[in-house]
Amino acid sequence: GLFEQSVPVTVEDFQYVDVESVTVTGGRDLAVGEKLQLTAEVKPDNATIKDVTWTSSDDTVLTVSASGLVTALKEGTATITATGFGDVKGTCDITVTAAAPASLTVEAPETLSIFDGTGSARVTSVVYTDGTAVTENLPAAVFASDNEAVLTVSADGTLTPVAAGQATITATAEVNGRTVTGSNLVEV
């Protein structure tokens, strides 16, 4: 009952190639609440082990996932490091600033009848990168419709139905030096 089998094996010379450098790309300053995907370039291209481990010098300011996704948690500066095999490192310094304007909340009627006359759209809040919404001192916004055959909108947000269908109303404003937008779908 003993079974035996042999298989021919060819052994070739194995050339182990060390990691010579790791370069982190894609870095830029962030506002609290923003996320950013970093990339680690391991050289040479034929390095035997090209995996890297990501770390942050201050996890209270910036966290980094195993794939290099950085999340800004609070104001400050931290160094993100990608460490390749053989303890070869690449770094990227990122400064986190206060939460910045990210979008506008636009209020508009969900439906508007051609027979009802006009409606209106307005900005009700500015949403920041950390998720907070500010409802005071709202910016002047310019409104636009993506389907003027269905619904027109004046620069001040007056909606005029034209025909049955759907249109997205978009508001654009400048807040703290950033251009932000928000939109809402209206059914006519």
Side-chain angles (χ1 to χ4, degrees):
L2 183 63
F3 177 74
E4 195 174 300
Q5 183 177 2
S6 62
V7 178
V9 175
T10 305
V11 177
E12 297 178 15
D13 286 341
F14 174 71
Q15 293 292 94
Y16 181 84
V17 180
D18 283 326
V19 172
E20 295 173 8
S21 69
V22 175
T23 304
V24 176
T25 58
R28 63 175 171 79
D29 291 346
L30 298 174
V32 172
E34 288 185 313
K35 293 180 184 292
L36 176 66
Q37 181 64 56
L38 297 178
T39 305
E41 184 178 21
V42 177
K43 290 291 185 179
D45 289 338
N46 64 339
T48 303
I49 301 173
K50 297 187 74 155
D51 296 336
V52 297
T53 302
W54 294 94
T55 55
S56 171
S57 65
D58 188 342
D59 283 331
T60 67
V61 174
L62 290 169
T63 59
V64 63
S65 72
S67 64
L69 181 65
V70 174
T71 303
L73 301 178
K74 74 173 188 179
E75 292 179 60
T77 300
T79 301
I80 301 298
T81 303
T83 305
F85 194 76
D87 207 33
V88 179
K89 299 176 190 292
T91 62
C92 176
D93 292 332
I94 297 176
T95 299
V96 179
T97 59
S103 66
L104 301 174
T105 304
V106 175
E107 183 179 273
E110 284 183 32
T111 59
L112 194 59
S113 168
I114 299 171
F115 308 108
D116 290 342
T118 61
S120 66
R122 66 186 186 101
V123 172
T124 58
S125 70
V126 176
V127 181
Y128 283 73
T129 54
D130 65 357
T132 59
V134 175
T135 58
E136 297 173 354
N137 300 317
L138 295 172
V142 175
F143 291 86
S145 170
D146 74 340
N147 190 351
E148 293 198 343
V150 170
L151 184 66
T152 62
V153 60
S154 65
D156 71 356
T158 301
L159 303 171
T160 305
V162 177
Q166 292 183 331
T168 299
I169 301 304
T170 302
T172 303
E174 189 84 11
V175 183
N176 299 345
R178 278 191 174 201
T179 300
V180 290
T181 63
S183 61
N184 209 328
L185 183 67
V186 179
E187 180 92 28
V188 175

